[in-house]
């Protein structure tokens, strides 16, 4: 099976990030973005992407943090630099780092072509290592994929919750600031909307989930065609052995709603009253 191409973007510049997200669509199978280096390291650890793109206000500090982390797993970093900045940057000699001027981000196909070259350089080696790893340690590989998937889902839930709280705080500040600050706050809110309304999150989750649990969603839907997308998500979380507390947090509902959802789901599936839903899901 060919491994999906994953690119992770770390960028704290609200004027550059939307251009990156729009310009790189189609370059990889899955594209993720974060605004802090700590979150960037977390998502790298969870997803093991083929490429990391970095553009932070303090590029040297960001490179120091990222390279110290990716050196252990040999992931290349593409650092987008401001004018003359690349001449002063330095990094660990064991790191795989490329630099390109950020001013060309808006130029059509500029980044796509260069990223394509980087991905082709590492594709053959990744296929060789991946094949050996899958052949020698399939149980270990699947177990760790499942753990990484659970961690990524939780990190995504925490990220969205934080962004929503931030947007609420901005709304409270908006009436009491001057026009210049209002414009800046609107730009921040727009960036948050991009991050919290990306409908690809669920599709991306399904891709990774099905790598660990092949055919599960299809078989579940065939057995129970009346299930909603929220029902399917709930079953996926059960399959991942997530706790009721974690599921409540991810679905954005309270404990009583979790019990009601479980009750209605069992009715849809025509399960017996004393039949354990989690055991049933794990048996599919």
């Amino acid at each position: 099976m060919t491994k999906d191409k994953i690119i992770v973007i770390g960028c704290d510049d609200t004027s550059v990030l939307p251009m990156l997200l729009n310009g790189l669509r189609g370059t990889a199978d899955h594209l993720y973005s974060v605004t802090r280096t700590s979150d960037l390291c977390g998502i790298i650890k969870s997803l093991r992407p083929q490429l990391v793109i970095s553009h932070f206000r303090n590029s040297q500090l960001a490179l120091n943090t990222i390279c110290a982390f990716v050196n252990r797993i040999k992931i290349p970093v593409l650092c987008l630099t401001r004018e003359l900045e690349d001449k002063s940057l330095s990094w660990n000699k064991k790191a795989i780092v490329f630099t390109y001027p950020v001013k060309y981000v808006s130029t059509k196909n500029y980044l796509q072509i260069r990223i394509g070259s980087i991905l082709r350089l590492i594709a053959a080696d990744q296929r060789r290592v991946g094949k050996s790893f899958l052949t020698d340690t399939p149980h270990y590989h699947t177990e760790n994929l499942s753990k990484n998937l659970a961690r990524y889902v939780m990190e995504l839930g925490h990220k969205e919750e934080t962004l929503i709280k931030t947007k609420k705080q901005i709304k409270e500040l908006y009436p009491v600031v001057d026009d210049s600050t209002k414009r800046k706050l609107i730009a921040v809110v727009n960036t948050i909307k991009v991050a919290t309304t990306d409908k690809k999150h669920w599709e991306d989750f399904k891709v990774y989930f099905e790598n660990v649990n092949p055919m599960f969603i299809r078989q579940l839907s065939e057995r129970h065609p009346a299930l909603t997308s929220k029902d399917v998500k709930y079953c996926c979380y059960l399959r991942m052995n997530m706790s009721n507390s974690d599921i409540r947090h991810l679905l954005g509902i309270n404990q009583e709603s979790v019990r009601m959802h479980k009750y209605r789901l069992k009715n849809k599936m025509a399960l017996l009253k004393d039949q354990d839903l989690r055991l049933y899901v794990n048996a599919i």
Side-chain angles (χ1 to χ4, degrees):
M1 182 183 293
T2 302
K3 186 177 179 180
D4 286 347
K5 292 179 182 176
I6 306 170
I7 295 177
V8 175
I9 302 170
C11 177
D12 61 359
D13 189 328
T14 56
S15 64
V16 173
L17 183 56
M19 289 191 291
L20 280 173
L21 292 171
N22 291 328
L24 292 178
R25 293 194 185 279
T27 305
D29 298 298
H30 309 286
L31 190 64
Y32 302 93
S33 66
V34 294
T35 57
R36 301 188 304 175
T37 52
S38 58
D39 293 335
L40 182 58
C41 291
I43 200 171
I44 291 170
K45 185 177 180 181
S46 297
L47 299 181
R48 300 294 179 95
Q50 280 71 40
L51 179 65
V52 175
I53 298 177
S54 173
H55 181 65
F56 290 94
R57 290 182 177 85
N58 191 331
S59 295
Q60 185 62 67
L61 180 61
L63 269 181
N64 292 344
T65 303
I66 297 166
C67 289
F69 184 78
V70 300
N71 279 355
R72 301 194 297 271
I73 44 182
K74 303 301 180 186
I75 296 175
V77 177
L78 174 61
C79 182
L80 301 177
T81 59
R82 299 171 184 83
E83 192 170 0
L84 302 178
E85 188 177 43
D86 57 338
K87 294 182 180 180
S88 63
L89 291 177
S90 62
W91 51 84
N92 188 298
K93 64 181 180 180
K94 294 182 180 180
I96 306 169
V97 178
F98 302 84
T99 62
Y100 289 119
V102 70
K103 65 181 179 179
Y104 294 124
V105 164
S106 59
T107 302
K108 186 177 180 181
N109 296 330
Y110 180 85
L111 271 182
Q112 289 91 329
I113 293 172
R114 283 150 182 80
I115 288 173
S117 298
I118 295 171
L119 294 176
R120 284 192 293 274
L121 279 173
I122 62 176
D125 186 60
Q126 284 192 334
R127 283 196 298 268
R128 176 181 61 78
V129 174
K131 182 177 180 181
S132 173
F133 188 65
L134 284 169
T135 302
D136 296 339
T137 55
H139 175 72
Y140 176 84
H141 179 66
T142 301
E143 182 181 348
N144 277 271
L145 276 175
S146 183
K147 288 179 180 177
N148 288 341
L149 176 62
R151 184 165 56 247
Y152 166 68
V153 170
M154 293 306 299
E155 288 172 354
L156 183 62
H158 288 307
K159 171 188 172 185
E160 291 184 348
E161 183 180 17
T162 301
L163 289 174
I164 290 170
K165 287 180 179 178
T166 302
K167 192 164 68 171
K168 183 178 178 181
Q169 290 172 341
I170 290 174
K171 186 177 180 180
E172 293 172 355
L173 286 172
Y174 188 84
V176 298
V177 297
D178 57 49
D179 290 342
S180 176
T181 305
K182 284 181 179 179
R183 287 193 292 271
K184 293 176 182 177
L185 290 177
I186 290 173
V188 174
V189 169
N190 288 337
T191 302
I192 291 174
K193 286 180 179 179
V194 171
T196 56
T197 59
D198 188 353
K199 295 181 180 180
K200 284 181 84 277
H201 285 327
W202 171 238
E203 294 302 319
D204 292 337
F205 166 80
K206 286 199 295 184
V207 170
Y208 291 106
F209 178 85
E210 289 177 336
N211 281 338
V212 184
N213 304 275
M215 302 297 292
F216 172 79
I217 294 177
R218 179 176 175 179
Q219 291 177 6
L220 177 69
S221 300
E222 287 177 350
R223 286 192 191 186
H224 308 287
L227 297 185
T228 65
S229 60
K230 192 171 186 178
D231 294 334
V232 174
K233 283 184 185 180
Y234 185 88
C235 290
C236 288
Y237 297 151
L238 289 177
R239 180 81 170 198
M240 293 164 63
N241 290 320
M242 284 192 165
S243 68
N244 288 333
S245 176
D246 287 340
I247 293 174
R248 176 181 64 80
H249 171 77
L250 289 167
L251 294 179
I253 55 180
N254 58 36
Q255 195 60 43
E256 180 60 30
S257 297
V258 171
R259 285 194 288 269
M260 286 301 300
H261 190 85
K262 182 179 179 180
Y263 173 77
R264 290 169 181 166
L265 189 54
K266 287 181 69 173
N267 283 341
K268 286 183 181 181
M269 293 177 164
L271 301 184
L272 299 176
K273 185 177 180 180
D274 59 349
Q275 195 167 356
D276 189 277
L277 179 59
R278 193 181 293 268
L279 290 177
Y280 176 78
V281 167
N282 284 330
I284 295 177

